[in-house]
Structures are given as C-alpha cells and as structure tokens.
Amino acid sequence: FISFILIPLIIVKIKFYNKAEPFGENFNNLFTSKNNKKLAMEIGKAINVIPQALDEFDCNNDYDVVFFGAGIYGGTVAPDVLSKLSSWNNAHIGKVILYSANGFGRNQYQSLIDILRGNNIEVEQNIYVCVGQAFFFKNHGRPNAQDCEAAGRFAQEMLKNI
C-alpha cells in the first residue's frame, strides 16, 4: 500500500486500492481548490491513490513524491497556503509535482516554487496547467473531461521518470 499526495489547494492522501506497489514509493496527492480537486480526482484514478485536502495533510510523514494543485487568487497562490508550505522540508518530502487549473491557464506558481526550493525540496520542472473556471462566468465548465484526462496522463508520465 502506497501513499500519494495531490495538492490543488486541497491535499489528497493517496492509498493504493490494491496491495501491489507498482512504484515502490510513498506518494500523496493534495489540492486546495474546486478546480484542482477535479484534477486531483483524475490524477488519483490514474496513479491509483486517493486525493487529500491540504488541511488534512501531515507534512511530518515521509513522502517520496507529493502531487500538489493549489488555487490561484489574484495571480498567485493564497498566502495561507504559502504559509503551510513553508513548514514542509526535505526530511519528509522528496519531490513535489505541481498541477493547476486556473482562470488564465498558465503557470502562476513561482512564489510556491520559491518556498519549496528554499526548503530544499525538489520541484519537478514540468507542471500540468489547464484553464479552470474563474469567478462565476469565466471559463464555465473548465476544467472539463479532456483537461482532467490529460492531468491523469501527465501524472502517469511523471511517475515513469522517477
């Protein structure tokens, strides 16, 4: 049984549904927003882990890989999320793989990446990004099924390279 974390402003603790441990690693899948929860669920299916909200994540457990998706507000990650991430360290978290569904469909994680790297945590340079719903009307219906399926394929590819 393996743990994974997907973080899209909600942390997802992932547990394999079967006893086989195809990667032989500890993983988690965390998320923090409604948009990223959709991606977290699909990533969880693709890599056989259960997503977990960030508020439920214990950063003192050991994880080789944490998938994380955080909501973007005003062009950056929310300050409370950045504050939580500042307590993460490389003694417990080996690598973070980021994904994002946001209103502009582009990587807006630089502040988050700076904090993680400042704590000597490896951050995968490839980041999955797609358009997500913003406000009430912008990008309605996104991320859609195709966006979510692509996030699942991204996660599988990332794990092949570990």
Side-chain angles (χ1 to χ4, degrees):
F1 138 101
I2 294 180
S3 286
F4 270 96
I5 293 178
L6 283 177
I7 304 175
L9 280 188
I10 296 177
I11 295 182
V12 176
K13 189 170 187 179
I14 299 175
K15 162 176 103 166
F16 281 101
Y17 295 106
N18 57 37
K19 293 183 180 180
E21 296 185 18
F23 303 108
E25 310 278 344
N26 289 318
F27 300 96
N28 205 328
N29 175 11
L30 307 173
F31 62 96
T32 62
S33 71
K34 185 176 174 182
N35 281 335
N36 287 300
K37 183 176 183 179
K38 289 180 181 180
L39 299 181
M41 298 306 287
E42 191 65 33
I43 289 170
K45 281 194 251 176
I47 60 176
N48 212 19
V49 296
I50 299 168
Q52 176 183 13
L54 180 58
D55 290 339
E56 300 168 3
F57 178 64
D58 182 357
C59 65
N60 294 311
N61 289 334
D62 293 335
Y63 297 98
D64 296 308
V65 177
V66 173
F67 285 85
F68 183 76
I72 302 296
Y73 305 95
T76 190
V77 177
D80 62 319
V81 173
L82 294 176
S83 177
K84 287 179 185 181
L85 295 181
S86 67
S87 68
W88 292 13
N89 64 69
N90 67 343
H92 298 290
I93 298 172
K95 183 176 190 172
V96 174
I97 300 174
L98 299 169
Y99 58 92
S100 177
N102 63 70
F104 293 101
R106 63 178 186 249
N107 176 9
Q108 296 179 308
Y109 279 156
Q110 195 56 54
S111 57
L112 184 152
I113 291 168
D114 291 344
I115 287 171
L116 294 174
R117 287 187 176 152
N119 290 342
N120 296 312
I121 296 172
E122 180 183 355
V123 179
E124 170 61 44
Q125 108 180 25
N126 294 309
I127 300 172
Y128 177 78
V129 180
C130 68
V131 172
Q133 186 168 332
F135 309 109
F136 181 71
F137 54 88
K138 184 176 180 185
N139 306 325
H140 184 69
R142 301 291 296 271
N144 59 26
Q146 292 82 12
D147 298 325
C148 293
E149 289 167 8
R153 288 190 302 274
F154 167 80
Q156 288 174 330
E157 285 301 312
M158 291 298 100
L159 291 182
K160 286 180 185 176
N161 298 323
I162 293 176

